[in-house]
Amino acid sequence: MSTRTMGRRDFLRLSTTVAVGGVLAACAQPGAPTTEPVGEPAAPPAAPAAPAAPAGELRFTDPPLLAARISSGELPTVEERLPLDPQIVTPLERVGEYGGTLNVTTIRAEGYGDDTILMGCEGLFRTDTDGSSVAPNIAKAWEFSEDGKVFTIHFREGLKWSDGEPVTADDFMFAWEAVYLNTTITPSLGRWWKPGGETIKCEKVDDYTIKVTSVVPNPELLAWGGGPIRGDNAVLPKHALMQWHADYADEAELTAKAQMEGFERWDQLFNEKRRRIWGTQLNDACPTLGSHLIVERSSTRRTYIRNPYYWKVDTAGNQLPYFDEIIATIVSDKELVNTAILGGTVDIVIQEASMDNYPLYQENAEQGQYNVYAWKSVLGSDVIYQPALTYEGDTVLRDICRDVRFRKALSLAINRDEVNEVLYFGMGTPRQFTVIPQSMYFLPEFEQAYAEYDPDAANALLDEMGLEWDDNHEYRLRPDGQQLGWTIEMYQIETPKRETTELVVEYWRAIGCNVQFKEISGELTDQRYTGNLVEFGLWHGDKVTDVLFSVSPQFLVPYNVGWETVWGTEWARWYTSEGVDGEEPPEEIKNLYTWWEELKMAVDPAERVELGRNILRSQAENLWVIGVVGLTPKPVIVKKNIGNFLKEGLHGWDVVWTCYTHPESFFFEGGKSLIS
């Protein structure tokens, strides 16, 4: 079956005829599977520990697929494999059925595909359903000291890696000491690990308890999204990885092994061995805590089978997951994903389904035996444009971009309503980049700042700056007499960056800016963004929920030197190096750093709100980055016989895509896929 791509005119024509009522309903606040125990919100520093799950009241059941391995003695019984207090997942609809192979497809050879995200991000904690708090996961409970300086984490006793070895506090300490504190692997720990100017202290209290101490109140430890506290690298299997680490093995021998495998140094080999969750390297060298284990890997296919030591059960005591197997077919482009959807040869599509093909998905739903749901993104803007305010390759252009009048003009020139109609059938929200409305930091004026379409006002601002038109009134001139223009470099991934940019470029050309754009690879994006080699960049505006805004506001505070941000690279380098490298920023940027540092230490909710709004107000007044349309629908494709699947969900990094929905509880009605 062939596929077709909808053009701009097609969208404008169909926008009045497509049935959007159900989609708008699907964008409501979702319900979701729940877990026991339930943790407290991250913001208060004295969050009480979650109670233990009533596992003693359950009789546990093995998946039928494991019966032969258990009877032969290869595997112990389910009671022996589970922790003393397994996490109990309350199914969304009902207790599911075992069996079946889940078929997915992806263009992502190196991760973030539906295979990896459907196996969950099993970190210490889990983002809750609305992105505003966290819940227990590997860690069953936690508590803060009264002063907010001591954070105690309690692990589940009897939790096991996929090879049957126990998970203990030693695995946390190994991750902390062997990776984060090891200067060969982590040359610079970063200021976020030094609240109050001193590195946090991690201590093992006993086999199942860790104590983390800071010299100042540090409530963000619970929500932190990038390091050892949350994330899939919070705990690492010491028993499996120590053989690859120079602190535990002979460095010369490790270096020789590394060179035999194509690396120069031992630490490069170690990092390869420890890669687990986000990508193809769910590898044999590193056991996992995820629901499935990889057993086959090639350039076109990844195959996973259930993890017999997975540590979650449903309310009836059945060990999860329900699916026996996951097969991911790797294809070269999204058109082949669409072919699989329309042809009915894929069970679930989340990451690669896009709004530009939404009518096509609906049109073929019955034939393909699938449902089309519109989840709601938790993006402040699907695309945010980033003038490189510290770009050194063209100081004239840089200085123009640093003038707030210029950034306001660019924002006012964008017809957000048209973008919303053309790309999202009017179901998104034209808005400036800021936090989502559910956030405690949100104010309507932040969302509305210079977000109206007013090309006359945009032109007036450029005139005021002295950016005159050429003699033929075709383009504007820079102070040096050259044509005003720049190139936007973009990596087309996750959101309609290309389609949005095609429209935005038209709007900016209409006010005299000769703007071009080009697509580059992810690898090149990393190199050029990090190297401050880009005139103008873009990304999608995430980290705008209450869980991540205060710990990772990279599009609002320039601290990140990396491939997502380019707007203040040299200021970020100055900040992260504590003034050794980069460019010293102006006072208004230093204010952002001050507010953020204070926010990270603030315990009082009212103080946190005030500090967070200071940061957001600065964005609204200065437009450090420029948003377009946010809170957009995200098409999700799911076969009609898959149960416990959210019809009204949230999508985005802030909720780690699907992880909060407990994909381990999805199941096939009848125990097998509709795909023959």
Side-chain angles (χ1 to χ4, degrees):
M1 179 176 296
S2 63
T3 64
R4 59 188 176 90
T5 300
M6 307 293 293
R8 179 177 175 182
R9 290 178 179 167
D10 295 319
F11 277 104
L12 288 171
R13 185 184 70 252
L14 286 170
S15 64
T16 59
T17 60
V18 69
V20 301
V23 176
L24 292 172
C27 289
Q29 194 67 25
T34 59
T35 61
E36 302 179 89
V38 177
E40 296 295 321
E57 302 173 10
L58 292 176
R59 294 187 64 181
F60 300 116
T61 302
D62 273 304
L65 187 70
L66 302 180
R69 297 176 64 186
I70 295 168
S71 63
S72 70
E74 179 187 349
L75 286 176
T77 63
V78 65
E79 290 83 4
E80 296 175 278
R81 299 197 311 272
L82 290 171
L84 297 180
D85 49 357
Q87 184 158 354
I88 301 174
V89 177
T90 302
L92 179 66
E93 300 164 342
R94 68 174 179 87
V95 171
E97 302 172 49
Y98 283 123
T101 296
L102 182 76
N103 288 276
V104 300
T105 188
T106 182
I107 63 173
R108 303 162 197 251
E110 290 297 329
Y112 298 124
D114 284 347
D115 52 339
T116 51
I117 69 171
L118 286 170
M119 288 186 289
C121 179
E122 305 294 4
L124 285 182
F125 311 114
R126 169 181 292 270
T127 306
D128 219 336
T129 57
D130 60 358
S132 64
S133 60
V134 299
N137 205 48
I138 295 172
K140 67 177 182 180
W142 63 82
E143 65 263 357
F144 278 96
S145 63
E146 188 173 346
D147 61 5
K149 297 179 182 179
V150 181
F151 182 47
T152 305
I153 306 167
H154 303 279
F155 290 87
R156 300 178 187 274
E157 186 174 351
L159 183 71
K160 295 179 178 63
W161 294 100
S162 55
D163 61 359
E165 292 295 317
V167 179
T168 71
D170 288 333
D171 294 314
F172 180 99
M173 294 303 299
F174 176 77
W176 177 244
E177 295 171 348
V179 176
Y180 293 97
L181 293 185
N182 185 285
T183 56
T184 301
I185 295 174
T186 310
S188 176
L189 198 56
R191 290 181 58 159
W192 37 88
W193 297 123
K194 302 176 183 177
E198 293 188 26
T199 302
I200 59 174
K201 181 181 179 182
C202 298
E203 304 173 79
K204 174 183 173 181
V205 177
D206 57 43
D207 284 345
Y208 303 104
T209 310
I210 289 291
K211 182 170 70 175
V212 184
T213 305
S214 308
V215 296
V216 296
N218 197 5
E220 305 297 356
L221 282 172
L222 185 59
W224 177 251
I229 304 303
R230 182 217 152 232
D232 55 296
N233 286 312
V235 289
L236 294 172
K238 180 179 179 180
H239 69 280
L241 293 180
M242 58 190 299
Q243 63 180 306
W244 307 104
H245 199 287
D247 288 353
Y248 301 90
D250 183 85
E251 184 172 343
E253 292 181 6
L254 285 179
T255 299
K257 291 179 180 179
Q259 292 171 350
M260 289 179 63
E261 295 197 31
F263 301 99
E264 294 181 5
R265 307 186 309 271
W266 73 267
D267 58 293
Q268 296 170 320
L269 178 62
F270 174 82
N271 283 332
E272 183 69 14
K273 297 296 184 183
R274 74 181 176 98
R275 292 176 63 195
R276 295 185 292 129
I277 296 294
W278 295 120
T280 62
Q281 302 303 315
L282 281 155
N283 60 59
D284 300 333
C286 190
T288 182
L289 293 170
S291 62
H292 291 78
L293 308 172
I294 194 162
V295 292
E296 177 195 12
R297 184 189 308 112
S298 71
S299 60
T300 59
R301 180 183 169 107
R302 297 192 288 264
T303 303
Y304 311 83
I305 61 172
R306 65 168 58 253
N307 174 6
Y309 291 93
Y310 194 58
W311 41 282
K312 299 180 185 181
V313 298
D314 64 21
T315 48
N318 300 302
Q319 185 187 25
L320 297 172
Y322 294 127
F323 295 134
D324 286 332
E325 186 179 48
I326 298 174
I327 294 179
T329 301
I330 304 168
V331 297
S332 57
D333 57 56
K334 284 193 176 184
E335 287 304 311
L336 292 174
V337 175
N338 290 333
T339 299
I341 294 171
L342 305 183
T345 60
V346 63
D347 289 301
I348 293 176
V349 181
I350 298 175
Q351 293 297 82
E352 313 300 355
S354 56
M355 273 308 286
D356 61 331
N357 284 297
Y358 183 74
L360 197 60
Y361 299 150
Q362 289 188 313
E363 197 178 293
N364 291 272
E366 287 303 314
Q367 178 181 326
Q369 297 181 287
Y370 59 77
N371 293 312
V372 185
Y373 301 130
W375 285 9
K376 190 172 186 177
S377 81
V378 289
L379 296 176
S381 178
D382 262 25
V383 184
I384 53 172
Y385 292 94
Q386 303 177 50
L389 303 181
T390 64
Y391 179 60
E392 297 171 340
D394 185 340
T395 56
V396 176
L397 176 62
R398 179 201 65 193
D399 291 344
I400 292 171
C401 290
R402 285 187 178 184
D403 192 320
V404 67
R405 294 173 296 180
F406 182 70
R407 302 193 297 274
K408 290 176 180 178
L410 295 184
S411 185
L412 291 168
I414 297 173
N415 189 338
R416 291 172 173 81
D417 288 329
E418 183 178 58
V419 175
N420 188 33
E421 291 297 328
V422 171
L423 298 182
Y424 302 103
F425 300 97
M427 294 186 290
T429 301
R431 70 196 309 264
Q432 192 54 263
F433 175 70
T434 190
V435 294
I436 61 176
Q438 301 97 308
S439 169
M440 64 182 179
Y441 305 100
F442 176 80
L443 288 175
E445 55 262 39
F446 299 160
E447 182 180 69
Q448 298 158 9
Y450 304 98
E452 69 272 22
Y453 178 51
D454 193 342
D456 291 338
N459 276 305
L461 285 168
L462 298 182
D463 292 341
E464 184 182 313
M465 291 177 61
L467 300 172
E468 300 177 351
W469 289 90
D470 74 302
D471 293 339
N472 297 319
H473 205 80
E474 294 177 348
Y475 54 82
R476 291 182 180 270
L477 300 172
R478 307 181 341 165
D480 59 0
Q482 295 185 31
Q483 185 179 34
L484 176 59
W486 59 90
T487 298
I488 303 171
E489 298 186 30
M490 54 158 285
Y491 177 35
Q492 174 75 346
I493 189 173
E494 294 186 36
T495 64
K497 295 178 174 64
R498 179 194 308 112
E499 295 81 359
T500 303
T501 303
E502 287 173 346
L503 295 174
V504 169
V505 163
E506 288 183 25
Y507 305 140
W508 288 347
R509 288 175 178 170
I511 59 171
C513 302
N514 183 25
V515 185
Q516 312 293 326
F517 77 95
K518 65 178 181 181
E519 294 186 40
I520 58 177
S521 67
E523 181 181 5
L524 192 57
T525 300
D526 189 21
Q527 295 173 5
R528 290 188 59 78
Y529 278 37
T530 302
N532 195 26
L533 303 173
V534 177
E535 296 175 333
F536 226 93
L538 59 80
W539 200 247
H540 41 269
D542 57 1
K543 303 177 179 67
V544 288
T545 60
D546 285 354
V547 166
L548 288 188
F549 162 66
S550 60
V551 296
S552 190
Q554 65 188 48
F555 304 115
L556 300 158
V557 181
Y559 70 86
N560 182 58
V561 181
W563 76 330
E564 296 178 348
T565 51
V566 72
W567 70 276
T569 300
E570 295 307 311
W571 296 335
R573 223 182 293 276
W574 177 90
Y575 174 75
T576 56
S577 70
E578 300 182 2
V580 176
D581 299 317
E583 176 190 339
E584 183 173 357
E587 200 63 32
E588 59 260 38
I589 298 297
K590 290 181 178 179
N591 287 337
L592 294 175
Y593 294 136
T594 299
W595 293 327
W596 185 39
E597 293 289 354
E598 292 176 353
L599 174 61
K600 288 187 289 183
M601 294 186 289
V603 172
D604 178 64
E607 183 183 3
R608 293 181 63 83
V609 169
E610 180 182 2
L611 290 165
R613 287 179 177 176
N614 284 345
I615 295 171
L616 294 166
R617 188 172 292 106
S618 176
Q619 156 65 9
E621 293 172 351
N622 292 283
L623 300 190
W624 305 116
V625 301
I626 301 168
V628 183
V629 179
L631 313 177
T632 56
K634 176 66 174 74
V636 174
I637 313 298
V638 58
K639 282 291 188 184
K640 291 181 179 294
N641 74 325
I642 292 180
N644 290 337
F645 194 92
L646 273 177
K647 298 175 178 64
E648 303 170 2
L650 297 176
H651 182 268
W653 168 247
D654 291 49
V655 291
V656 199
W657 294 296
T658 67
C659 297
Y660 79 96
T661 69
H662 290 280
E664 66 274 5
S665 68
F666 300 167
F667 71 97
F668 290 122
E669 298 277 1
K672 63 179 182 179
S673 172
L674 293 174
I675 301 171
S676 57

